[in-house]
Amino acid sequence: MGKFLHPVRPGGLSDRDKEMIFALAARKYGSGRIAQMIEKHPSTVQWFMYRNGLKAPGDNHRAVYHRNGKEVRPFSREDDAFISVLRLQGYGPTKIADLIGKRTGYPRNKHTIAQRLVMLASREEMEAAHG
């Protein structure tokens, strides 16, 4: 069970899990509650919701913190704006990771940039849909 208060079934999302996420999101359930209901890790459910336009990431730009002994620097609003401009200029995740690393002095990898671009696109779609 680990550090979670509910059991988490191993593995990816089944077709049934995905159907449940769509149905529960339509009822305005949050990713944490859905994760409990289908017994999946909250981040698995949250990522599925981002990828399918069911949830937009919040605009919560936290301060630097440490996780597993490593410094973590969340993306700032300026970082988000910078990578969005680079994406619109046709750069891919590898080049964007290189350029933002040079700009900020904090290395990013192409996977992190690809994920952030999905999250930003999801936020833009949700904002457009809701006004």
Side-chain angles (χ1 to χ4, degrees), residues 6-89:
H6 62 279
V8 176
R9 289 184 293 117
L13 296 172
S14 68
D15 289 342
R16 174 85 173 119
D17 293 332
K18 293 172 185 178
E19 290 172 16
M20 290 290 295
I21 294 170
F22 277 111
L24 294 168
R27 294 174 58 191
K28 307 291 186 214
Y29 285 36
S31 58
R33 186 170 179 198
I34 294 170
Q36 287 178 335
M37 295 173 79
I38 67 170
E39 299 178 343
K40 287 295 182 177
H41 193 281
S43 62
T44 300
V45 172
Q46 189 170 49
W47 185 246
F48 179 82
M49 291 176 75
Y50 289 155
R51 295 285 304 199
N52 289 279
L54 302 172
K55 176 180 181 160
D59 190 18
N60 118 9
H61 297 279
R62 300 182 302 184
V64 173
Y65 62 96
H66 288 83
R67 180 177 59 214
N68 298 328
K70 292 185 177 183
E71 182 178 86
V72 177
R73 291 187 187 190
F75 288 92
S76 68
R77 286 180 183 85
E78 293 79 18
D79 295 340
D80 286 345
F82 184 69
I83 66 175
S84 293
V85 167
L86 293 175
R87 178 187 58 85
L88 290 172
Q89 292 175 350

